[in-house]
Amino acid sequence: VELLTESREWPETGRPRRAGVSSFGISGTNVHVVLEQAPEPETPTEPEATPGDRPLAGPTPWTLSAATEAALRDQARRLLEHTAAHPDHTASDIGHSLATTRAALAHRAVVLADSHEDLLTRARALADGTDAPGVVTGTGTKAKTVFVFPGQGSQWVGMAVELLEASPVFAEWMGECERALSEFVDW
């Protein structure tokens, strides 16, 4: 065993390369992992199916939002145009991009299906403004995440009391939380 202090060539030996990586933490945590070279990918014998031909792993959602109901239908039309222009994009990739890279505006829809073709059919129904199974529409507002520090002592007695006394804004919001929860709790 030899500690590497600089980069060096790792020659091919005709068998998978393996390496050990050790970590000795200052707190006493010791970890060792053995890594192995990945096998060479197999060459496909059949032409690869297009994303629309592949079965989906399960129900796949496509989420859309827009400022108005008409704009929501336009979004669905643009989504259909995009999928037609880019047949190499998978339904799952499209769903992920729609959920993570788009703004959440007031008018919203989710198109849910088990197949690429059903997603397209249901997106067409949304674009046409017709009802379809697996299409849910509605309105919403953009909400922010709220962290509540209760101060009732679940972590330690008097938790957040100093902040409550020092910050009028915090005290105001804690009072609002108290009023909102008062009908559900007895503390």
Side-chain angles (χ1 to χ4, degrees):
V1 176
E2 180 182 336
L3 182 63
L4 290 179
T5 58
E6 58 187 45
S7 296
R8 69 177 188 195
E9 290 296 315
W10 194 353
E12 184 66 51
T13 63
R15 56 180 199 215
R17 297 174 187 160
R18 291 183 185 93
V21 179
S22 295
S23 174
F24 303 103
I26 198 161
S27 67
T29 303
N30 299 324
V31 176
H32 185 79
V33 65
V34 177
L35 304 173
E36 181 175 290
Q37 176 182 1
E40 291 296 322
E42 294 180 20
T43 306
T45 56
E46 298 177 15
E48 192 173 319
T50 63
D53 296 335
R54 291 186 206 133
L56 301 178
T60 300
W62 283 358
T63 58
L64 296 143
S65 74
T68 66
E69 200 173 315
L72 185 62
R73 288 192 302 274
D74 288 340
Q75 282 285 66
R77 278 187 209 94
R78 284 193 295 280
L79 176 59
L80 289 165
E81 290 169 5
H82 176 82
T83 58
H86 302 280
D88 56 321
H89 294 179
T90 67
S92 297
D93 287 343
I94 293 168
H96 176 78
S97 294
L98 289 169
T100 60
T101 64
R102 307 290 299 175
L105 301 175
H107 291 268
R108 301 173 186 180
V110 175
V111 176
L112 185 67
D114 287 324
S115 74
H116 190 85
E117 194 54 46
D118 284 347
L119 282 166
L120 296 175
T121 300
R122 293 170 183 182
R124 277 187 209 97
L126 177 62
D128 295 339
T130 59
D131 289 334
V135 178
V136 180
T137 59
T139 58
T141 60
K142 186 168 184 158
K144 294 182 180 180
T145 302
V146 174
F147 295 95
V148 177
F149 301 97
Q152 93 285 8
S154 63
Q155 286 76 27
W156 62 83
V157 175
M159 182 177 137
V161 169
E162 290 176 358
L163 182 59
L164 192 65
E165 293 169 355
S167 172
V169 173
F170 182 77
E172 180 184 333
W173 281 106
M174 287 303 293
E176 183 145 337
C177 290
E178 178 185 13
R179 288 186 291 282
L181 295 172
S182 65
E183 67 181 282
F184 304 107
V185 296
D186 60 358
W187 38 266

